[in-house]
């Protein structure tokens, strides 16, 4: 990950990444590409909120790509923290790990990767515009995933994996990679809350 992107994540979510007595030099490196930076930041914000509400000590121990998906490992925290991380992992399979645009899990030269159409052939990786932090998307993602957790509780991860008629037969996690998709999921949740058929 680009140093500037890492510095942004550390500045915004440092309490999860370091012990209170640790220096910035003790930070682990993010072992993934920049395309997932906004997704990581949104997930870390949610985890921070959970940790504060539960008054628990949650620390992120590793962030990396594994088998083409984003994996975030933590110590501490309850069921909600685990669900946030599971939803994040599922969503990462719909976002290009290089540029953050809509993508899918592919096999390239024997490696599992999540790439958009432009970067899916292994070419065009030399001129990637680094994501700069889309606050609108991050806030929308946080709000939507928080609503999913509140509405479905322990079944949240199961729900995001189910095909929804109200989302055009897409699974909710497939929508969470864009601001528009998050808004669509949020609208569906509001309809379900008020008993309006989807």
């Amino acid at each position: 990950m680009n140093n500037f992107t890492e510095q942004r994540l550390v500045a915004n979510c440092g309490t999860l990444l370091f012990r209170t007595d640790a220096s910035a030099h003790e930070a682990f490196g993010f072992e993934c590409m920049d395309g997932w930076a906004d997704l990581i930041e949104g997930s870390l914000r949610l985890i921070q909120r959970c940790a504060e509400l539960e008054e628990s000590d949650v620390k992120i121990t590793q962030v990396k790509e594994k088998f083409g998906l984003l994996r975030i490992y933590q110590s501490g925290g309850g069921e909600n923290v685990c669900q946030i991380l599971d939803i994040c992992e599922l969503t990462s399979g719909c976002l290009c790990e290089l540029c953050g645009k809509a993508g899918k899990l592919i096999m390239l030269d024997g490696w599992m990767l999540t790439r958009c159409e432009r970067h899916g052939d292994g070419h065009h990786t030399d001129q990637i515009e680094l994501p700069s932090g889309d606050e609108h998307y991050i806030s929308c993602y946080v709000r939507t995933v928080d609503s999913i957790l509140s509405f479905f509780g322990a079944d949240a991860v199961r729900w995001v994996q189910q095909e929804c008629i109200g989302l055009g037969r897409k699974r909710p996690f497939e929508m969470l990679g864009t601001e528009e998709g998050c808004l669509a999921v949020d609208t569906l949740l509001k309809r379900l809350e008020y008993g309006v058929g989807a």
Side-chain angles (χ1 to χ4, degrees), residues 16 43-44 46-61 72-85:
L16 287 175
S43 299
L44 295 182
L46 275 164
I47 292 169
Q48 269 182 325
R49 184 183 298 168
C50 279
E52 290 166 7
L53 289 173
E54 297 170 0
E55 297 181 355
S56 61
D57 185 26
V58 181
K59 293 298 175 204
I60 301 303
T61 58
I72 301 177
Y73 299 96
Q74 99 288 353
S75 64
E79 184 179 340
N80 276 348
V81 170
C82 293
Q83 291 198 96
I84 290 165
L85 296 178

Short mmCIF file of all heavy atoms in Angstrom, two decimals, residues 16 43-44 46-61 72-85:
data_model
loop_
_atom_site.label_atom_id
_atom_site.label_comp_id
_atom_site.label_asym_id
_atom_site.label_seq_id
_atom_site.Cartn_x
_atom_site.Cartn_y
_atom_site.Cartn_z
N LEU A 16 -7.00 1.92 16.86
CA LEU A 16 -7.17 0.47 16.64
C LEU A 16 -5.89 -0.21 16.23
O LEU A 16 -5.76 -1.42 16.36
CB LEU A 16 -8.20 0.22 15.52
CG LEU A 16 -9.65 0.48 15.82
CD1 LEU A 16 -10.47 0.30 14.57
CD2 LEU A 16 -10.14 -0.47 16.90
N SER A 43 -14.63 0.17 7.51
CA SER A 43 -14.71 -0.95 8.44
C SER A 43 -14.04 -0.62 9.78
O SER A 43 -14.57 -0.95 10.85
CB SER A 43 -14.07 -2.20 7.82
OG SER A 43 -14.76 -2.55 6.64
N LEU A 44 -12.89 0.04 9.72
CA LEU A 44 -12.20 0.42 10.96
C LEU A 44 -13.01 1.42 11.78
O LEU A 44 -13.05 1.35 13.01
CB LEU A 44 -10.81 0.96 10.66
CG LEU A 44 -9.81 -0.03 10.05
CD1 LEU A 44 -8.45 0.63 9.85
CD2 LEU A 44 -9.68 -1.29 10.89
N LEU A 46 -16.28 1.60 11.87
CA LEU A 46 -17.34 0.82 12.51
C LEU A 46 -16.81 0.05 13.71
O LEU A 46 -17.46 -0.02 14.76
CB LEU A 46 -17.93 -0.17 11.50
CG LEU A 46 -19.03 0.36 10.60
CD1 LEU A 46 -19.25 -0.57 9.42
CD2 LEU A 46 -20.32 0.55 11.38
N ILE A 47 -15.63 -0.54 13.56
CA ILE A 47 -15.03 -1.31 14.66
C ILE A 47 -14.71 -0.39 15.83
O ILE A 47 -14.94 -0.74 16.99
CB ILE A 47 -13.78 -2.07 14.17
CG1 ILE A 47 -14.21 -3.19 13.21
CG2 ILE A 47 -13.00 -2.65 15.35
CD1 ILE A 47 -13.06 -3.83 12.45
N GLN A 48 -14.21 0.82 15.53
CA GLN A 48 -13.94 1.79 16.61
C GLN A 48 -15.22 2.11 17.37
O GLN A 48 -15.23 2.15 18.61
CB GLN A 48 -13.38 3.10 16.02
CG GLN A 48 -11.89 3.13 15.93
CD GLN A 48 -11.37 4.45 15.39
OE1 GLN A 48 -11.99 5.08 14.53
NE2 GLN A 48 -10.23 4.86 15.88
N ARG A 49 -16.30 2.31 16.63
CA ARG A 49 -17.58 2.63 17.26
C ARG A 49 -18.04 1.47 18.15
O ARG A 49 -18.49 1.69 19.27
CB ARG A 49 -18.63 2.92 16.18
CG ARG A 49 -19.96 3.35 16.75
CD ARG A 49 -21.00 3.56 15.68
NE ARG A 49 -20.61 4.61 14.76
CZ ARG A 49 -21.21 4.84 13.60
NH1 ARG A 49 -22.23 4.09 13.21
NH2 ARG A 49 -20.82 5.82 12.83
N CYS A 50 -17.93 0.24 17.64
CA CYS A 50 -18.31 -0.95 18.43
C CYS A 50 -17.46 -1.05 19.69
O CYS A 50 -17.99 -1.33 20.77
CB CYS A 50 -18.12 -2.22 17.61
SG CYS A 50 -19.45 -2.56 16.48
N ALA A 51 -16.16 -0.83 19.55
CA ALA A 51 -15.26 -0.93 20.70
C ALA A 51 -15.64 0.09 21.77
O ALA A 51 -15.63 -0.22 22.97
CB ALA A 51 -13.82 -0.73 20.25
N GLU A 52 -16.00 1.30 21.34
CA GLU A 52 -16.40 2.33 22.30
C GLU A 52 -17.71 1.97 22.99
O GLU A 52 -17.84 2.10 24.21
CB GLU A 52 -16.52 3.69 21.59
CG GLU A 52 -15.18 4.26 21.17
CD GLU A 52 -15.30 5.42 20.20
OE1 GLU A 52 -16.44 5.88 19.93
OE2 GLU A 52 -14.25 5.86 19.68
N LEU A 53 -18.70 1.49 22.20
CA LEU A 53 -20.00 1.13 22.78
C LEU A 53 -19.89 -0.05 23.73
O LEU A 53 -20.54 -0.08 24.78
CB LEU A 53 -21.00 0.81 21.67
CG LEU A 53 -21.49 1.99 20.83
CD1 LEU A 53 -22.33 1.51 19.66
CD2 LEU A 53 -22.29 2.96 21.70
N GLU A 54 -19.08 -1.02 23.35
CA GLU A 54 -18.91 -2.23 24.18
C GLU A 54 -17.86 -2.04 25.26
O GLU A 54 -17.66 -2.93 26.09
CB GLU A 54 -18.52 -3.42 23.29
CG GLU A 54 -19.56 -3.80 22.26
CD GLU A 54 -19.05 -4.82 21.25
OE1 GLU A 54 -17.87 -5.24 21.35
OE2 GLU A 54 -19.83 -5.19 20.36
N GLU A 55 -17.16 -0.91 25.21
CA GLU A 55 -16.05 -0.64 26.13
C GLU A 55 -15.06 -1.80 26.12
O GLU A 55 -14.62 -2.29 27.17
CB GLU A 55 -16.57 -0.36 27.54
CG GLU A 55 -17.43 0.89 27.63
CD GLU A 55 -17.92 1.17 29.03
OE1 GLU A 55 -17.68 0.37 29.94
OE2 GLU A 55 -18.55 2.23 29.21
N SER A 56 -14.73 -2.25 24.91
CA SER A 56 -13.78 -3.34 24.77
C SER A 56 -12.51 -2.85 24.08
O SER A 56 -12.52 -1.84 23.38
CB SER A 56 -14.39 -4.49 23.96
OG SER A 56 -14.75 -4.07 22.67
N ASP A 57 -11.44 -3.56 24.31
CA ASP A 57 -10.15 -3.20 23.73
C ASP A 57 -9.95 -4.03 22.47
O ASP A 57 -9.62 -5.21 22.54
CB ASP A 57 -9.03 -3.46 24.74
CG ASP A 57 -7.68 -3.00 24.23
OD1 ASP A 57 -7.65 -2.08 23.39
OD2 ASP A 57 -6.66 -3.57 24.64
N VAL A 58 -10.19 -3.42 21.33
CA VAL A 58 -10.02 -4.09 20.04
C VAL A 58 -8.77 -3.55 19.38
O VAL A 58 -8.57 -2.33 19.31
CB VAL A 58 -11.23 -3.85 19.11
CG1 VAL A 58 -11.04 -4.58 17.79
CG2 VAL A 58 -12.52 -4.28 19.78
N LYS A 59 -7.92 -4.43 18.90
CA LYS A 59 -6.73 -4.04 18.16
C LYS A 59 -6.67 -4.81 16.86
O LYS A 59 -6.91 -6.02 16.82
CB LYS A 59 -5.45 -4.31 18.97
CG LYS A 59 -5.32 -3.45 20.21
CD LYS A 59 -5.25 -1.99 19.88
CE LYS A 59 -5.25 -1.15 21.16
NZ LYS A 59 -5.72 0.20 20.94
N ILE A 60 -6.35 -4.11 15.79
CA ILE A 60 -6.17 -4.74 14.49
C ILE A 60 -4.73 -5.26 14.46
O ILE A 60 -3.79 -4.52 14.72
CB ILE A 60 -6.42 -3.74 13.34
CG1 ILE A 60 -7.83 -3.18 13.43
CG2 ILE A 60 -6.16 -4.40 11.99
CD1 ILE A 60 -8.94 -4.20 13.40
N THR A 61 -4.58 -6.54 14.15
CA THR A 61 -3.25 -7.15 14.17
C THR A 61 -2.65 -7.35 12.78
O THR A 61 -1.44 -7.44 12.64
CB THR A 61 -3.29 -8.51 14.90
OG1 THR A 61 -4.24 -9.37 14.24
CG2 THR A 61 -3.71 -8.32 16.36
N ILE A 72 -8.87 -8.83 7.39
CA ILE A 72 -8.47 -7.99 8.52
C ILE A 72 -8.59 -8.87 9.76
O ILE A 72 -9.65 -9.43 10.03
CB ILE A 72 -9.35 -6.74 8.65
CG1 ILE A 72 -9.29 -5.89 7.38
CG2 ILE A 72 -8.93 -5.91 9.87
CD1 ILE A 72 -10.20 -4.68 7.39
N TYR A 73 -7.48 -8.98 10.49
CA TYR A 73 -7.46 -9.80 11.70
C TYR A 73 -7.38 -8.89 12.92
O TYR A 73 -6.71 -7.85 12.89
CB TYR A 73 -6.25 -10.74 11.66
CG TYR A 73 -6.28 -11.68 10.48
CD1 TYR A 73 -5.59 -11.39 9.31
CD2 TYR A 73 -7.01 -12.87 10.52
CE1 TYR A 73 -5.62 -12.24 8.21
CE2 TYR A 73 -7.05 -13.73 9.43
CZ TYR A 73 -6.35 -13.41 8.28
OH TYR A 73 -6.38 -14.25 7.21
N GLN A 74 -8.05 -9.31 13.99
CA GLN A 74 -8.11 -8.48 15.18
C GLN A 74 -7.97 -9.32 16.43
O GLN A 74 -8.12 -10.53 16.40
CB GLN A 74 -9.43 -7.71 15.20
CG GLN A 74 -10.54 -8.25 16.07
CD GLN A 74 -11.21 -9.52 15.55
OE1 GLN A 74 -10.94 -9.96 14.44
NE2 GLN A 74 -12.07 -10.11 16.36
N SER A 75 -7.67 -8.65 17.52
CA SER A 75 -7.78 -9.27 18.83
C SER A 75 -8.80 -8.45 19.60
O SER A 75 -8.86 -7.22 19.46
CB SER A 75 -6.43 -9.27 19.56
OG SER A 75 -6.02 -7.95 19.83
N GLY A 76 -9.63 -9.12 20.38
CA GLY A 76 -10.67 -8.43 21.15
C GLY A 76 -11.91 -8.17 20.31
O GLY A 76 -11.94 -8.40 19.11
N GLY A 77 -12.94 -7.69 20.98
CA GLY A 77 -14.19 -7.37 20.30
C GLY A 77 -15.16 -8.53 20.32
O GLY A 77 -14.76 -9.69 20.48
N GLY A 78 -16.42 -8.22 20.11
CA GLY A 78 -17.47 -9.23 20.16
C GLY A 78 -17.96 -9.62 18.78
O GLY A 78 -17.28 -9.45 17.77
N GLU A 79 -19.18 -10.13 18.75
CA GLU A 79 -19.79 -10.65 17.53
C GLU A 79 -19.92 -9.59 16.44
O GLU A 79 -19.70 -9.86 15.26
CB GLU A 79 -21.16 -11.24 17.85
CG GLU A 79 -21.83 -11.90 16.67
CD GLU A 79 -23.18 -12.49 17.02
OE1 GLU A 79 -23.45 -12.71 18.21
OE2 GLU A 79 -23.96 -12.69 16.09
N ASN A 80 -20.29 -8.37 16.83
CA ASN A 80 -20.44 -7.30 15.83
C ASN A 80 -19.14 -7.02 15.10
O ASN A 80 -19.14 -6.79 13.88
CB ASN A 80 -20.98 -6.01 16.46
CG ASN A 80 -22.49 -6.03 16.56
OD1 ASN A 80 -23.17 -6.87 15.99
ND2 ASN A 80 -23.02 -5.08 17.31
N VAL A 81 -18.03 -7.03 15.82
CA VAL A 81 -16.73 -6.79 15.18
C VAL A 81 -16.44 -7.88 14.16
O VAL A 81 -16.01 -7.60 13.03
CB VAL A 81 -15.60 -6.70 16.24
CG1 VAL A 81 -14.23 -6.69 15.57
CG2 VAL A 81 -15.77 -5.46 17.10
N CYS A 82 -16.70 -9.12 14.53
CA CYS A 82 -16.48 -10.24 13.59
C CYS A 82 -17.37 -10.10 12.36
O CYS A 82 -16.93 -10.35 11.23
CB CYS A 82 -16.73 -11.57 14.28
SG CYS A 82 -15.53 -11.94 15.58
N GLN A 83 -18.61 -9.69 12.56
CA GLN A 83 -19.53 -9.52 11.42
C GLN A 83 -19.08 -8.38 10.51
O GLN A 83 -19.17 -8.49 9.28
CB GLN A 83 -20.95 -9.29 11.91
CG GLN A 83 -21.55 -10.52 12.55
CD GLN A 83 -23.05 -10.44 12.65
OE1 GLN A 83 -23.75 -10.96 11.80
NE2 GLN A 83 -23.53 -9.77 13.68
N ILE A 84 -18.59 -7.30 11.08
CA ILE A 84 -18.07 -6.18 10.28
C ILE A 84 -16.94 -6.67 9.38
O ILE A 84 -16.88 -6.35 8.20
CB ILE A 84 -17.60 -5.03 11.20
CG1 ILE A 84 -18.79 -4.34 11.86
CG2 ILE A 84 -16.77 -4.01 10.40
CD1 ILE A 84 -18.42 -3.44 13.03
N LEU A 85 -16.06 -7.47 9.96
CA LEU A 85 -14.92 -7.97 9.19
C LEU A 85 -15.36 -8.96 8.12
O LEU A 85 -14.81 -8.97 7.01
CB LEU A 85 -13.89 -8.61 10.13
CG LEU A 85 -13.24 -7.63 11.12
CD1 LEU A 85 -12.29 -8.37 12.04
CD2 LEU A 85 -12.53 -6.50 10.39
#
